[in-house]
Amino acid sequence: MPVRLLKTVSGKSETPLPSHLQKEDLKHLQEGFDHTNKYFKGVVVLSYPLMKLGDGTDFFKVVLQDLDNWISRNNSINILLYGKMAEDCAKVTRHGDTFAVAGFKVAKSPTAREDGRHGCHLEVSEEAGSTIYVHKILGECLDNFFLLFPNFVMPFQSVAPKYVYTPLNRLKDGTVVNLYGVVKFFKPPYVSKGTDYCSVVTLVDPSNVKLTCTLFNGNLDFLPKIYKVGDIVRFHRIKIREYNGQMQGITSAGFASLTFDGTVGAPVVPRTSSKVYTFMDEEQKIIEELRVWADSNLCIFGPAAKLAGVQPMIFFDLTCQLVGKAKVDGSSFLLKVWDGTKCPYPTWKVPVEARDLEGEKTLLHQLRNLTVDILVYDNHVQLAKSLKIGSFLRIYSIHTKQASSDKDDVSCIEFHLHGGTCYGRGIGVLPETNPDVKELKVFLGSVDLADSQNMESMSSLELDSTGMKIIRKFFLISDLESHLQRCQELSVTVLTDHQDLKDTELKTILNSRAPQQYRIRAKLRTYEPQKLYQCIKLHCSKCNSLWEVPGGDDFDLILQGSAVTAPNLELHNTSWYDSVMWTTEDQKQRKITIHFVKHDEMVQQPEDTLIMIEGGTLKEIWKLTKRFKCVIPVRSTEDDLELLDLSAPFLLQGNIKYYGCMRCSTPKPIECLSSIAAEQQPSWEPTEIARVLGIEPLQYVFVMKFTLVDGTGTLNAYLFDYEKFFQIPASEILTNNFLQQKMQMTMNTLCPPGRKLDDLPWLECFIKSYNVRDVMKQQVYYQIFDTTVAEDVV
């Protein structure tokens, strides 16, 4: 077997390593040297979760520290395991185990500068004939120790690396860093579009910079255990990337987290699913300083509301205990909870069959006047089903609604946890060690259940006329209270201008002349197209035409057609570009030419260079866009290089293809680009390139039809937007899976599938009416403008 466990008898290994193997020193591990019949030995100081690569291969990474070189700074090395060996090793590896690695390949480590380890790493796999000998004398001791003391934290001070923590205002695109931050906003983990769980966390620190992190993991336990705003998190090995001028954090290989209560004076006890981690004395000072800073500078909400304090038409967080649950239908699920206090209003009891209700029947009967029914929807259903009766929960952003009824003399409050994750909506399971749970358990133990059954229940729907008069009095609110309640009925959109406009009913708009501008408050009943990728179009601002975005196959065919024309050697190596040509080794033996545009008679760094390519395939061009700033596909004529057909992009930059309008463009010779190359600092911006080449550029836009309703009428409004509404550039949506998922989640929030009209969220937006005249008659159309989706909707 490639992974072999070695036992220790009387202080010595029961099975020695093969005699032909010789130990290799850490400093002698280099690329290009013969390491056959050699092994490297070290102690495991860090291991990462088992994961799968893009091709489905299992991958496992451990860090070994040199047993004979404890003092040196670079005394550890990364070991990368692939295939079955990775799977087998992940099952048995513990911190403190001793590894002997044989049959390895030495390769340059791309992360050496970031992690401070050896400049090379070792690659091992069963296919390569590698073997790992695991000596578990220390690891087995630790396993037995943790069985006896499960809450003990093993510090490993002698081998713990010295971590450097980066302030949020010093983050750079493309780096992997360690950081501390205070939670300003978070979404409890939820099932993403794939199989992973996702959690979104917004952090701040004394540098007054905000960082939003999107964290994914297939194991719910490996995501940060955040319970409330104000918690403090420590993230190790989080990847930073820049988007729309702001830094974002995403999980990378080896990501790990600790979470601490942010309350000043609370014990510094980390929450984590890992038994072994490093936590230095100086880090306690970091946490205490962040607590004091957050207490003075952040608006952190107090404890979650009690049922005794709820009002109709509000959103609130509830800390409670689960006493019953039941399936209602395919898109909703019932949770029966209590917090020891009584809701001051009658509450809706969700009708379910007694046989379908899980929970201890006697307790449910005893608590019938203290429990409330919370109906959860859509993406929360899967988690709700998995909850254990008796567990303690924090349910975020519950919506209380005044229920309608067929009986005139009956009114009650409904509790809903709507689908989606906007405003942090979700369910968190709290451990019994949580301070809020400890306090709740003490309070629940003091509740006299006999009194709760004997008192007149304000939660019961069996009220006399006197009781109903009292209830109606609660619901008769002043104009000011009505306004406040309406504000609490959160809108999922934000108005960016024209705050002087007042709301107008759709009925009034439909009966008014165009053109005019309006502010409306409505619900999105449906939208088109349902397949969101179909809403991306190309728009010409000059002739106001719309074009479909060409597919990759169309571009590839154009490239194949242009490759038939042989490059004109007389056009190579001019005063403003250098040329390189080679012949492919395949049967077609294509000739590919790349022209490197110069500046001051020199070719610039690749990230600043524009290149032109003849004869390349689509796959080859995409590779070049990852290396060079701009790529322009061209072909040779007798006199000059020229652009391809305008149905092909005239420029590629990053993942974006730039197209020109076939009606309005008058292409000029490629020679015109030399004017930009001669500038003092050529920028190679797409708009400038288009201008000198005589191209009228097309812009990527979202084009959608929204059907809006507000109870007075129905109106179709068109969305025509480049990036403002979704806060996503339309130019990037077709090539970015993450942005596609974000847009789908946004639309699921604005128009939740399968939801009744009453349960749809409100949209506040501006619309303008305008006239369009065709041959037969004049029609009025409506367009959404100066409106954006709220930042925390997804």
Side-chain angles (χ1 to χ4, degrees), residues 381-398:
V381 170
Q382 182 175 338
L383 177 58
K385 290 179 179 179
S386 68
L387 297 175
K388 295 182 179 179
I389 301 296
S391 59
F392 292 91
L393 311 175
R394 181 165 287 146
I395 308 178
Y396 303 91
S397 197
I398 301 173

Side-chain angles (χ1 to χ4, degrees), residues 145-154 269-270 272 274-277 433:
F145 183 88
F146 285 126
L147 287 175
L148 296 173
F149 305 99
N151 294 322
F152 185 84
V153 177
M154 189 65 180
V269 179
T272 178
S274 175
K275 292 180 179 178
V276 182
Y277 54 86
T433 55

Side-chain angles (χ1 to χ4, degrees), residues 344-397:
Y345 302 95
T347 61
W348 178 45
K349 299 301 180 184
V350 178
V352 294
E353 295 289 340
R355 63 177 180 271
D356 295 332
L357 183 62
E358 295 182 46
E360 207 280 308
K361 305 302 181 185
T362 302
L363 181 62
L364 284 168
H365 180 73
Q366 288 178 322
L367 299 179
R368 64 187 182 278
N369 294 327
L370 293 176
T371 57
V372 297
D373 288 5
I374 300 177
L375 205 56
V376 305
Y377 298 91
D378 301 338
N379 55 298
H380 308 297
V381 170
Q382 182 175 338
L383 177 58
K385 290 179 179 179
S386 68
L387 297 175
K388 295 182 179 179
I389 301 296
S391 59
F392 292 91
L393 311 175
R394 181 165 287 146
I395 308 178
Y396 303 91
S397 197

Side-chain angles (χ1 to χ4, degrees), residues 248-364:
Q248 296 181 341
I250 56 174
T251 41
S252 64
F255 171 80
S257 68
L258 297 181
T259 310
F260 302 86
D261 191 327
T263 307
V264 175
V268 182
V269 179
R271 307 172 201 148
T272 178
S273 59
S274 175
K275 292 180 179 178
V276 182
Y277 54 86
T278 59
F279 184 70
M280 311 303 236
D281 292 340
E282 55 264 34
E283 293 186 70
Q284 180 157 342
K285 183 180 178 182
I286 295 176
I287 293 168
E288 291 172 348
E289 289 176 349
L290 283 174
R291 284 174 169 176
V292 173
W293 173 81
D295 187 59
S296 302
N297 293 274
L298 294 185
C299 180
I300 298 175
F301 300 103
K306 297 288 187 182
L307 289 175
V310 300
Q311 299 288 327
M313 306 306 290
I314 65 170
F315 291 83
F316 72 102
D317 299 343
L318 177 67
T319 302
C320 55
Q321 185 181 31
L322 179 66
V323 294
K325 63 179 185 177
K327 179 181 178 181
V328 179
D329 54 40
S331 62
S332 61
F333 198 82
L334 167 66
L335 299 179
K336 281 185 174 288
V337 303
W338 76 311
D339 70 353
T341 68
K342 175 179 285 293
C343 178
Y345 302 95
T347 61
W348 178 45
K349 299 301 180 184
V350 178
V352 294
E353 295 289 340
R355 63 177 180 271
D356 295 332
L357 183 62
E358 295 182 46
E360 207 280 308
K361 305 302 181 185
T362 302
L363 181 62
L364 284 168

Side-chain angles (χ1 to χ4, degrees), residues 40-51:
F40 172 73
K41 191 174 184 180
V43 63
V44 177
V45 294
L46 186 64
S47 63
Y48 295 79
L50 179 70
M51 60 181 294

Side-chain angles (χ1 to χ4, degrees), residues 23-31 33 35 38-41 64-69 72 74-77 104 106 117-120 122:
K23 187 177 180 182
E24 184 71 286
D25 206 48
L26 182 67
K27 61 185 178 183
H28 294 149
L29 292 172
Q30 299 180 41
E31 279 187 294
F33 283 68
H35 299 286
K38 299 289 183 70
Y39 72 91
F40 172 73
K41 191 174 184 180
L64 297 187
Q65 185 156 354
D66 191 352
L67 288 170
D68 301 324
N69 192 13
S72 173
N74 292 328
N75 61 353
S76 59
I77 188 169
F104 52 79
V106 180
R117 300 178 191 131
H118 195 282
C120 296
L122 306 186

Side-chain angles (χ1 to χ4, degrees), residues 96-114:
D97 289 348
T98 300
F99 267 34
V101 186
F104 52 79
K105 175 186 175 183
V106 180
K108 187 176 181 180
S109 173
T111 62
R113 182 175 296 181
E114 298 170 6

